[in-house]
Amino acid sequence: IGITAGSGGTVSTTGGWYTAGERVTATATPSNGYAFVCWEGDVPQSVVDPYAARISFLADQPHGLTAVFKPEVTYYLSTTGLDANDGSASHPFATLTNAVAQATAAYHSANAYTILIENGVYTNGNIQITVPLTIKSRNGLDSVTLVDSIVIGASTGSTAANVALYLNADGIVLDGLLFRPKTYPTGNATSGPGRAITAVKRAIIRNCAVRDWQTAGYSVDGIVALAGGSILERGEMINCIVRSSGGQPRYGIVYVNGNASVIDTVITNCSLVAQTSSSGSAIYAGGTAVGSLLVRNSLIAKCTSDRSGNTTTTLGGAIYLSGANIKAVLENVTLADCSDVGSGVGGLNVAS
């Protein structure tokens, strides 16, 4: 096993000879003024998140890995900042919308860009991110709340404009952020929040939480949507509702429409309300676009599909899997006290 460091940092081990099945652990540490970006080379398939500085895997064959570092450009965000500032530590920006716009305008592939958010509550509308950025709180989850101000109407759909954060570049990292909506629909209201996050390319959503989120009636599938190899890691989805007030079924609190992984995540007290064909009250992965889904070391509890009056036994399920090409792996996943209000499946539903 060969492990090397690119310019701008060091690695905890250079590897060597290992017995088959022996654990290999490596940590990448950037030098001052640099940021760790990712692991490249022959990265073992068991390393789900190559953007994590610390990786661990079992030796199974020869591998050659390189830790990639780049000069770090950091913009700062504070509730006491101004968008007319330059985004430095002493003159931070005020809004995430402006910070993303400035980082995007300055972006060069030779650098690594970080938006560091100081403690506080920040309100934003739709933000579409098209370059690899790391957006993180300085002090971890619950220190920074991002409040979504978007209100969408019925049947407006899951477009790029109807989501708080639309992630459209490989290598975007969200870390230590709490997402909440500004408005809370009453019953199956025809207007309200859309999605919190849509990742259409390989994004890493790490140490983040979505709490008390309720979508507008029959408008979107999922509150977090994953595709392109995206990873939801060490996350929380708590007290969330995807609503339908019309004839359209709704799918998933986490909606998977391509390759994705859900790791070390808790999804609890979530529900689909109320359409008789809705399925996937925690995770929905279905359709021809779905390739592989990995769910590992996660807890799914007290999630409900409200399909009152429907006697179809093949619908429902806290985890719903369907699709001719899907390859799903569930490792150490606990399903507890999940139910279907109807005659369908409460827990794991492998529909095809």
Side-chain angles (χ1 to χ4, degrees):
I1 308 292
I3 302 173
T4 58
S7 176
T10 60
V11 289
S12 59
T13 177
T14 57
W17 290 96
Y18 293 83
T19 303
E22 187 176 353
R23 182 160 296 280
V24 182
T25 299
T27 301
T29 302
S31 302
N32 196 29
Y34 283 78
F36 169 75
V37 177
C38 65
W39 295 94
E40 288 186 348
D42 183 20
V43 181
Q45 189 174 6
S46 60
V47 177
V48 178
D49 182 2
Y51 297 92
R54 183 183 183 276
I55 58 172
S56 183
F57 59 92
L58 300 180
D60 58 349
Q61 64 184 46
H63 292 279
L65 296 80
T66 299
V68 178
F69 305 92
K70 291 182 179 180
E72 185 172 32
V73 178
T74 302
Y75 295 94
Y76 295 84
L77 189 62
S78 172
T79 56
T80 61
L82 296 172
D83 279 345
N85 288 343
D86 61 7
S88 63
S90 56
H91 297 89
F93 293 134
T95 67
L96 182 58
T97 301
N98 182 61
V100 169
Q102 297 300 324
T104 301
Y107 177 76
H108 190 286
S109 60
N111 299 322
Y113 293 81
T114 298
I115 297 173
L116 187 63
I117 309 179
E118 304 292 351
N119 294 9
V121 178
Y122 301 82
T123 300
N124 60 269
N126 171 244
I127 300 176
Q128 300 184 32
I129 305 174
T130 57
V131 297
L133 304 176
T134 294
I135 302 174
K136 66 180 182 179
S137 61
R138 179 186 291 277
N139 294 309
L141 181 60
D142 290 318
S143 67
V144 168
T145 301
L146 300 183
V147 177
D148 172 32
S149 64
I150 299 173
V151 176
I152 65 175
S155 302
T156 50
S158 305
T159 68
N162 293 335
V163 59
L165 293 185
Y166 186 81
L167 313 181
N168 191 19
D170 290 335
I172 296 172
V173 177
L174 307 180
D175 194 342
L177 307 174
L178 171 61
F179 293 82
R180 289 187 183 274
K182 186 174 182 179
T183 62
Y184 296 88
T186 301
N188 272 338
T190 56
S191 65
R195 283 182 183 156
I197 302 169
T198 296
V200 296
K201 295 188 178 179
R202 192 175 195 184
I204 311 300
I205 305 163
R206 183 187 298 143
N207 304 316
C208 292
V210 181
R211 298 180 189 146
D212 303 314
W213 196 287
Q214 302 181 29
T215 67
Y218 63 99
S219 55
V220 296
D221 290 317
I223 293 171
V224 171
L226 304 175
S230 292
I231 301 170
L232 177 61
E233 183 176 18
R234 297 192 295 276
E236 298 176 7
M237 304 288 296
I238 299 175
N239 298 330
C240 295
I241 299 175
V242 170
R243 295 186 177 277
S244 175
S245 59
Q248 297 175 325
R250 294 273 65 94
Y251 302 120
I253 300 299
V254 175
Y255 180 79
V256 177
N257 191 35
N259 297 341
S261 300
V262 178
I263 311 292
D264 298 323
T265 289
V266 174
I267 305 174
T268 186
N269 291 326
C270 296
S271 59
L272 305 178
V273 181
Q275 204 280 337
T276 55
S277 297
S278 296
S279 298
S281 57
I283 299 172
Y284 177 93
T288 57
V290 177
S292 63
L293 169 67
L294 170 64
V295 185
R296 176 186 290 165
N297 299 338
S298 294
L299 170 65
I300 297 170
K302 297 185 177 180
C303 293
T304 303
S305 299
D306 184 353
R307 300 186 310 103
S308 301
N310 190 294
T311 59
T312 304
T313 59
T314 57
L315 297 175
I319 300 177
Y320 182 90
L321 307 174
S322 176
N325 301 315
I326 189 171
K327 297 179 180 178
V329 176
L330 278 63
E331 298 178 356
N332 193 29
V333 177
T334 298
L335 287 164
D337 199 19
C338 297
S339 62
D340 178 76
V341 182
S343 301
V345 178
L348 174 63
N349 189 353
V350 182
S352 65

